[in-house]
Amino acid sequence: MATEVREIVMADAGERDLTKLAEYEAIGGYQALQKARGMTPAAIIDELNASELRGRGGAFFPTWRKWSFVPKPDQNPNPHYLVVNADESEPGSFKDNEIMARVPHRFLEGCLITAHAVDSQNVFIYIRGEYTGPYEVLVGALEELHARADLRGDVTIVLHRGAGAYICGEETALLESLEGKRGQPRTKPPFPAVQGLYASPTVVNNVETMATVPPIITMGGAEYAQLGVPYSRGTRLVSLSGHVANGGNYEIENGVSLRDLIYDLGGGVPGGRQLKAVIPGGSSTSILRYDEIDVGYDFNSLLKLDTAMGSAGVIVLDDRCCMVQLGIRVNEFYEHESCGKCTPCREGTRWMTQILRRLEAGDAEQHELDLLLDVCDRINEKCLCPLGETAAITVASYVEKFREEFQTHIDEGGCPFGDSSPLHDVLAPVAQHTHQGWCQTPSLRGTAR
Amino acid sequence: MSAFYDEVQEIKAQYPDWRSATLPALRLAQEKHGYLSPDALRECAEALGTTPAFCESVASFYDMYHLRPVGRHLVEVCTNVSCALVGAQQVLEGFERELGIRAGETTGDGEVTLRTIECLGGCGWATIVAIDNKYRTHVMPDGVQAIVEGLRNGD
């Protein structure tokens, strides 16, 4: 069976300019909102429960349950806030970009329905600062909405722009940033549903989650749950990039084969090259070898391979790519984006870079490969947020899946790919980010092992 | 009081607490002054009702705030994995050649600053280059010259 696009979030966006309110209303837009306003918040949450929708930001938390955590007014008199995480910064993911740019009203309708469900009059959309295109579209859509009291009701929606920090995609760092501070994650608990924005009950949801809510209300949760596979119901916007012929976003039913995704929709690996590896859910997820792609693209199937669907950013790598170079490029990103709060992440990611660079240059000794994995272990589960951990887990997965290639770097005293790997050249400018003259890895100081 | 001051007051009114206006106020101050100079930080602090030190501590966390002077135009080349795989480095080198500077530098006439940047969220349309915060998609090395000429001609 050929893999097909199944559009629910992006429905009708190919045929019409849905950035215009009139066009969106012409296809039944904002009728889900009217329907939802006739329902009690509890009934909406039941509908979401029936749909089995899980958060599309990457954590897969059941949406209905997140909403149900918001305390009743007699438990906590503070106002409730809905905060939308539009700080999409995961390397490989660009779905929220397209959702906001092409179906802004469906997204905003989802925000208004959710605000009703969690009893909130204040919605804050935290959009990453670099997304000037989607920002302008949303400004236009909000102006149209502002003129329509029948639609916006008593809800105020504020667009809040970030300023360039990957960590602000982490929900508590996002809340800190929205409060006007440095974007450093908070200790959990308390969770945002109890103490979020300004210590008030707060629901934080992803853009795609919001844009999925109106179709669920329209078609009913049970019907939505007919799509997809267990634990991954409905559709997902998948971002394809790297060595594929047709990069872009594709909305598919959860559970289609990863191979079909790459070869049918993506058009396969260009230039007659062979597939080497696939990063399945954004750069924070563990890598899959070329022979592991006959797997369903859904939460459970990927979990069985010790990786994740994450934010659905599929990065395809062909046979020219050096895995040590990939490790450097990916790890330096996390090193650069570490907020610096937790020592294992702040120091560990830099140590990992140093070891990986020694491997690439052919200066590493045998024990340094184990040292690299040891540093990874010392980051895992020792930080407030998953940033450092994702660097550690992903780089460890490159070693696990391509150990012979790492070994070759030691045995041959250098990189067997050299500048034939497309990731080779890119090493130089990234060095802008590295900090010179700071403390070195234990092995380089000669104190360990 | 200045138009900047008034605008910051309007922004503050949108939030439950004045502090949430910090990021927007820093952006406005940067737009007004070109970068977050000591004067810009002072003006920002005054409008927010806080200290310049607080403003600087927040600004220094975020990549989009410039605490040092930058060129009138900003060219940012994404060199994260997806863009790198399809040749972002060659695009970057094209800009370095055309502008006669290295990544991280500003042209002698103060017109253009060139830098690499982490994932801009357009991976399937690589290579992504942001020119004054507007995305150009599918940028190839042979398209760099026209972009630089456009910048020089004030397009």
Side-chain angles (χ1 to χ4, degrees), chain A residues 377-399:
Chain A
D377 271 352
R378 283 158 201 271
I379 298 173
N380 286 339
E381 296 175 23
K382 293 173 184 67
C383 301
L384 287 178
C385 91
L387 188 145
E389 195 164 312
T390 53
I393 288 173
T394 51
V395 170
S397 81
Y398 305 161
V399 179

Side-chain angles (χ1 to χ4, degrees), chain A residues 56-60 85-100 128 130-131 134 166 206-208 236-242 247-250 279-285 297 308-316 333-334, chain B residues 78 80-83 118-126 128 135:
Chain A
R56 301 297 196 219
F60 280 82
N85 187 343
D87 193 50
E88 180 175 62
S89 317
E90 175 74 14
S93 286
F94 48 101
K95 64 186 178 68
D96 296 342
N97 183 342
E98 189 156 355
I99 291 171
M100 291 186 286
R128 74 176 289 195
E130 292 88 344
Y131 275 4
Y166 170 73
N206 169 261
V207 171
E208 189 182 350
R236 192 83 199 265
L237 246 82
V238 182
S239 307
L240 276 182
S241 69
N249 287 312
Y250 299 91
I279 297 174
S283 76
S284 296
T285 57
Y297 195 68
M309 201 176 186
S311 51
V314 177
I315 307 174
V316 180
F333 168 71
Y334 293 101
Chain B
C78 172
N80 208 296
V81 178
S82 297
C83 284
E118 296 295 10
C119 186
L120 284 171
C123 320
W125 316 304
I128 304 288
Y135 286 17

Side-chain angles (χ1 to χ4, degrees), chain A residues 23-40:
Chain A
E23 290 285 296
Y24 185 56
E25 285 193 299
I27 57 155
Y30 287 104
Q31 283 175 17
L33 175 66
Q34 307 296 8
K35 182 177 173 188
R37 287 207 171 125
M39 299 161 71
T40 62

Side-chain angles (χ1 to χ4, degrees), chain A residues 65-141:
Chain A
R65 195 178 296 163
K66 188 182 263 189
W67 293 0
S68 71
F69 286 154
V70 174
K72 303 280 173 291
D74 55 319
Q75 295 167 304
N76 186 334
N78 285 357
H80 297 171
Y81 296 117
L82 170 62
V83 174
V84 181
N85 187 343
D87 193 50
E88 180 175 62
S89 317
E90 175 74 14
S93 286
F94 48 101
K95 64 186 178 68
D96 296 342
N97 183 342
E98 189 156 355
I99 291 171
M100 291 186 286
R102 295 183 61 205
V103 289
H105 282 292
R106 189 169 287 138
F107 163 60
L108 292 173
E109 185 181 13
C111 296
L112 291 169
I113 294 170
T114 307
H116 175 56
V118 301
D119 190 21
S120 168
Q121 275 78 54
N122 297 92
V123 180
F124 295 98
I125 299 171
Y126 187 104
I127 181 169
R128 74 176 289 195
E130 292 88 344
Y131 275 4
T132 49
Y135 171 77
E136 280 161 19
V137 173
L138 284 179
V139 167

